[in-house]
Amino acid sequence: MEFNTKFAAPEKHQVACVAAGVFESRKLSGAADALDKAAHGQIRELLRSGDMDGKIGTTRLLYRVRGVAAERVLLVGLGREKEFGDKEYRDCARAALAAVQETGARDASLYFAELQVPGRDAAWKARQVVLAAADISYRFDRMKSKKAEETSLAHVSISAASKRDAADLERGTREGNAIAAGMTLARDLGNLPANVCTPTYLADTSVKLAREWKLAVEVLEQKDMEKLQMGSLLSVTKGSHEPPKFVILRYAGAGRKDRPVVLVGKGITFDTGGISIKPAADLDQMKFDMCGAASVLGTLRAAAELGLKLNIVGLVPTCENMPGGAATKPGDIVTSMSGQTVEILNTDAEGRLILADALSYAERFEPQAVVDIATLTGACIVALGHVCSGLFANKDDLADELQAAGAESRDRVWRLPLWEDYQEQLKSNFADFANIGGRAAGSVTAACFLSRFTRKYDWAHLDIAGTAWKSGKEKGATGRPVPLLTTFLMKRAEA
Ligand code: BES
Ligand code: MN
Ligand code: ZN
């Protein structure tokens, strides 16, 4: 789907479908009012008849309205004007685009930029429309022998009657496009089955991405990781026949001496649990255990497309977690790259083991901040559900920045504590510490484990176990938290 900005009177815009909003009080938005005037009151008449009451998310499609150049007019219910905020804007844009998509219209023009959303500028509104359109039109049919039929809607205009906000709308559309493309990459990688999306596949995809977007890339092999003494990471791959990889991607948007932001993504391409094997139910969903890695690749793609004036390093430690004769056993003790020893009491707590060494590796970049992204704990889903990701940080400013970026992109996070009091749960009788901390506060103790490898820099951890994919009828990767991370980087680049 393509997007552009268009500045024209809604009644004169020659397009297959023009969409405009109506509030629950039957108050017309500016665009709906202009359409109504051109149509000699036909829209107000419809409202009076009770056929459209402006309830949020409802739509009415009208054909060949007199005086209007577009073939179709789509009225979109905006709900109560006083309650119209971020969520309402996004829901209405989605509802409008979904309704257009059901028609045969090839192009559509949305007059949503004029709707007032407290605290949000025109660029934000454009981004939201583009992201909503990309989301509803996303299909994953690469593994089907018969491809899904293309929907006819191919072109969406982010429209306004005046050119007043032209620059902001154009910028927001461009940003939305870049974020959407990053999300699509992340979703595709997440949705691919684990027999296709192996560590080697993730590394090859990284190399292609680097070539396309002029990033520097390096792929470490098992022997390189052995040289670096990544004993924690390597303990996870031991039961697998797939070779592990460690990808280093570098985007240089600022001066050579500018310290980079480092993103680290968990890339377990399949998590059986290892010897501490998982039960069979829903085990297929453990192909999504590389969604952190996928979000790093998607975010780098977005950052490069936007040409952010910032240096960014992406680290992707990737392997499978399998049982087998050579697999790590509960009770095994390994030495991490940091020199700290870890007693592996549960081989299913493997994400933290690969992240530990990647976080140590991150030190060499003298980062301004490190953010790791991981489908780390089932406990995070128990705590926060599927609405927001868990956020942990060793620095309040960084946590606040990420929280704000999450709110703005509607890819939200909620902070959980990293207090010293929780650290004792990781106590081991045999090694420096254990890789699990018991049933209580499972997401917190996982983050506490990571914190032992991040003492040298500002660090945040995002637990995306509940947000990276959906289960049930709509099973599939969401592309989160690419919007959050890209927004965070955009703000850092401006600062
Ligand atoms: N990848 C899982 C976490 C997960 C589980 C994410 C289900 C989404 C849905 C992770 O590797 C894991 O297995 N974590 C364990 C940790 C436990 C052994 C301390 C968990 O959450 O059960
Ligand atoms: Mn696991
Ligand atoms: Zn896992």
Side-chain angles (χ1 to χ4, degrees), residues 188-190 192-202 269-270 287 290:
D188 285 349
L189 288 170
L192 280 171
N195 62 329
V196 175
C197 186
T198 58
T200 303
Y201 186 93
L202 276 184
T269 58
F270 197 80
K287 72 172 183 177
M290 36 54 70

Side-chain angles (χ1 to χ4, degrees), residues 266 271 278 286 289 346 348-350 352 375-379 381 436 465 469:
K266 171 178 173 182
D271 181 12
K278 288 180 181 292
M286 281 300 115
D289 212 17
N346 189 321
D348 198 9
E350 85 297 340
R352 62 197 79 181
T375 48
L376 204 62
T377 63
I381 311 177
I436 54 168
W469 76 89

Side-chain angles (χ1 to χ4, degrees), residues 4-13 18-19 30-31 34 89 108-115 122 125-126 157-170 173:
N4 68 353
T5 47
K6 179 91 189 170
F7 306 96
E11 69 278 12
K12 295 202 181 113
H13 193 175
V18 58
Y89 187 88
S109 176
L110 261 63
Y111 282 83
F112 275 32
E114 60 179 33
L115 303 172
K125 293 178 207 168
S157 298
I158 316 290
S159 303
S162 91
K163 280 207 151 181
R164 200 188 48 206
D165 293 324
D168 271 2
L169 284 178
E170 270 155 22
T173 302

